[in-house]
Amino acid sequence: MEKSVAIVGAGQTVFSRGCGQSVRELCFEAFREAMDGLNLKTGDIGASVICSAPEYDKQRSPAGVIAEYLNLVPKPTFYVETICSSSSTGLRVAYALIKSGLHSVVAVVGFQKMSEISSREAAERMGRGGDIMWESPFGVTMPAGYAMYARAHMAAYGTKPEQLARIRVKNSSYGALNARATFRKALTEEDVMKSAVVTLPLKTYDCCANADGASCIILASKEEAARIAKVPIWVLGVGAATDSTTLSNKKLYTGLSCAREAARQAYEMAGVGPEDIDVAEVHDCFTIAELMAYEDLGFARSGEGPRLIDEKQTYIGGKIPVNIDGGLLSKGHPIGATGGSQIRTVVKQLRGQGETGQVEGAKIGLVHNIGGVGIYGNVTILGR
Amino acid sequence: MVGIVSYGAYIPIYRLKREELSRVWAESPQSGEKAVANFDEDSITLAVEAGVDCLKDTPRDQVEALYFATTNPPYKEKQSASIIAAALDLRGELFSADFATSIRGGTMALRTAMDAINAGSSKNALVVAADCRTAAPNSEFESVFGDGGAALLLGKDNVAVKILDSYNLTSEFMDFWRTQSDRFNRTWEDRFITEEGYQKILPEAVKKLMQRNKLTPKDIHRVVFYAPDGRRHQAMARILGFDPNTQVQDPLLGVVGNTGAASALMALVAALEDAKPGQKILLANYGDGADVFLLETTDLVEKIKDRRAIKKHLAAKMALPSYGKYIKFRALMEWEAERREPDRSALTVLWRERNQVWRAHGNKCKACGTIQFPIQRICGKCHAKDNYEEVRLSGEKGKLFTFSMDERAVVADLPNVMSIVDFDNGGRFYCILTDRDPAKIEINMPVELTFRNLHDGSGIHNYYWKARPVRC
């Protein structure tokens, strides 16, 4: 288990719909929390990696304006994008920059401001994350993409809509406690089952919502980390993989191939297995996505994910607590900020500073962050 | 002798009961129903369906000419036949023409095809007629007009129906028309157009052909003739002297409606479905004059009866539940969701990817046989590079692998059913499922591809393939 790159700071804004802040102001707020309590001056940050999905606001090449606003000029900055997993990819890039010796401290800033355009436009831009020649022109949307997975999982394993609903119930119970979440109402299974159909078998409460927000993760080399932070959290494993964007070329529809491969890499690099994970944040853009994550990450065997939620094993106190900050389903999904927010939650848990409950003695945590309909898979394993 | 080698037809799956029109407009009850094209269908897509049916046993690269007749081409300027030819995956070395302004267009195309083969300029020719005329709401045409198409393959070998003679008349008589700016049909006083036009011109042409061949009505096994509506059809049978009960072909006006340029050929296909060898059939079409043909079936007429043609398409239907759906399907209203930023369609993409978009070509790896769509230069299974052949997927049958039903999509008919199809012979295809009953969609149901208008953007009709539950 190699401890060579650490997370020294993690911050995020409140995630909300239609908030009155600009992109740069959002980024600053997340950056300020990440810097809070660190023995680190802005000028000591060697580089910044700015992450978001393009086209949701008018700013092209946002890295420059954000670096300027955070007072990171003249240090290098650049833009990284893998749609919904942009900031996990940013973390991977920062890891490599530090590991290579090019920089010793790197800031990863993820943001998204989705309230600048209508929900319909946002759905269309999101759809364009799929193949724009053979898919998105037909009106394919993210919910419809995941609904096809849900349908296939149901056909293969007899998974029931009620079991998907239970995932939302769990996440909403934690979301109710999360002061930075967009949705803070605890929902019942009946609430979820009775919500309006979006794209069968997914209903409104099976889906996360667009939001505005930013996140920031500051990483440092082994040498710098001990000086900068009281409790550095080590990046033990980084896994990343890609599956065909084209829906017709994807082979697996009961799980995400890219997540399985990313998990394999991350476990191998960290030298741990699923049974060693104390707490996990997974990409629950839809309830089915969390269910598949249980299986893709090895918390349950294929087809046995539903049992995990039926038995409440993914609540705090269960076998493997998952999304105990409310997940994307409660927090909202400001695409580029999501990965950083997931990482922040796990960092807080490993420091023993859980905000929505604490997994006692958590030593190893996992973050699963997916871009597009199973295109980009990112799994990051963190440890004390 | 030149004749009909094969036939095919197409009737859209949706039917609107005329009693629904009576209800909406609070008018006296009407009987029967009419075929209504789905929101993603137009005269080009109807023609492709009829063409596919007709070319069931014919290798596509052997067709030498294509003639298309309609009164409603999707483009005012831009040939429709070329798009139909591409969707049928016909060869580039092809003569093609549109007959696009007369309800008699179907038989004009038939006569032209016959002449081309007789003259030796092509060995065969595919004649396709399809129409999709939208009537003004609450007009007399609204209950009469229906949508559909028919196709005939003409040639000299393997003739199933010999064309013994044809007689043609041209007349400048005006009865039904549209100007450049008219969306809906215009007409003149009923008595004038019927008594001075239809009831004089058509009988004259029939009489000439019968006299020339020394025939009386009793020599004809079945007569197929065009009529604007059911009442005029009955009257014409009496004028021509044929027995309505034994000799006159049902022109499908009650169950499909008047399909304009396709009407006479659809009725002919219906007649051929019931024909026995050695029967004489008289085909008479009307509009801007008249075309009359004397036909005689051969033994081969029995060999081509496995087409979907009229009977199977008539039987495989779904009810259009309301007039509201009808006006949405036929774009007779603006609808809220439609008001959005126009789609920017790129002709460069359409041209570059034409084999995939219109011809539904995927690729088959020569090393391991894996079929992929869209075409990938590197095989997804064995990773062989640039070692493939293009294969046509449009005729493949498949099973629905998984799907979702999007209730929020911007389409005229919700839910938008996204589907992933696994072809029985290999290959996976992502597309929309059309002509479907949402309550009856299930994983593993058999599906087939159909050529449809995917959407209109930047003034372009973007055609592409969708899946549908196997129709019949």
Side-chain angles (χ1 to χ4, degrees), chain A residues 120 133-135 138-141 144 147-148 151-152 155 197-200 204 246-251 253, chain B residues 349 353 356 372-374 376 401-408 410 416 418 420 428 430 432 443 454 464:
Chain A
R120 175 157 281 155
M133 285 204 321
W134 305 108
E135 285 157 12
F138 316 163
V140 69
T141 57
M148 288 191 282
R151 187 78 68 175
V197 169
V198 173
T199 173
L200 278 172
T204 303
T246 318
L247 294 167
S248 60
N249 281 329
K250 288 188 201 286
K251 287 170 188 69
Y253 272 88
Chain B
V349 177
E353 311 298 345
Q356 298 178 79
Q372 286 179 283
F373 186 96
Q376 305 282 340
F401 172 68
T402 186
F403 67 101
S404 82
M405 299 201 272
D406 194 336
E407 294 288 349
R408 310 283 173 93
V410 186
N416 196 29
M418 319 278 179
I420 291 177
R428 183 168 273 188
Y430 168 76
I432 303 294
I443 283 178
L454 189 62
Y464 188 58

Side-chain angles (χ1 to χ4, degrees), chain B residues 6 17 45 61 65 154 167 169 172 191 199-200 217-218 221 285 360 465:
Chain B
S6 177
K17 287 215 181 308
T45 69
D61 59 1
L154 268 62
Y167 179 82
L169 269 181
E172 67 275 38
R191 197 180 50 183
Q199 292 184 353
K200 282 191 176 161
K218 66 174 171 32
H221 178 76
N285 200 9
W465 297 85

Side-chain angles (χ1 to χ4, degrees), chain B residues 332-343:
Chain B
L332 286 161
M333 58 176 264
E334 270 189 44
W335 47 291
E336 181 63 32
E338 207 174 38
R339 293 182 200 132
R340 57 169 183 164
E341 208 181 322
D343 293 301

Side-chain angles (χ1 to χ4, degrees), chain A residues 340-353:
Chain A
S341 168
Q342 294 177 302
I343 289 162
R344 176 183 172 277
T345 295
V346 171
V347 164
K348 288 265 179 194
Q349 286 291 325
L350 297 179
R351 286 177 183 163
Q353 300 168 343

Side-chain angles (χ1 to χ4, degrees), chain B residues 129-142:
Chain B
D131 234 337
C132 194
R133 293 187 295 173
T134 304
N138 203 18
S139 68
E140 64 172 293
F141 298 122
E142 188 172 45

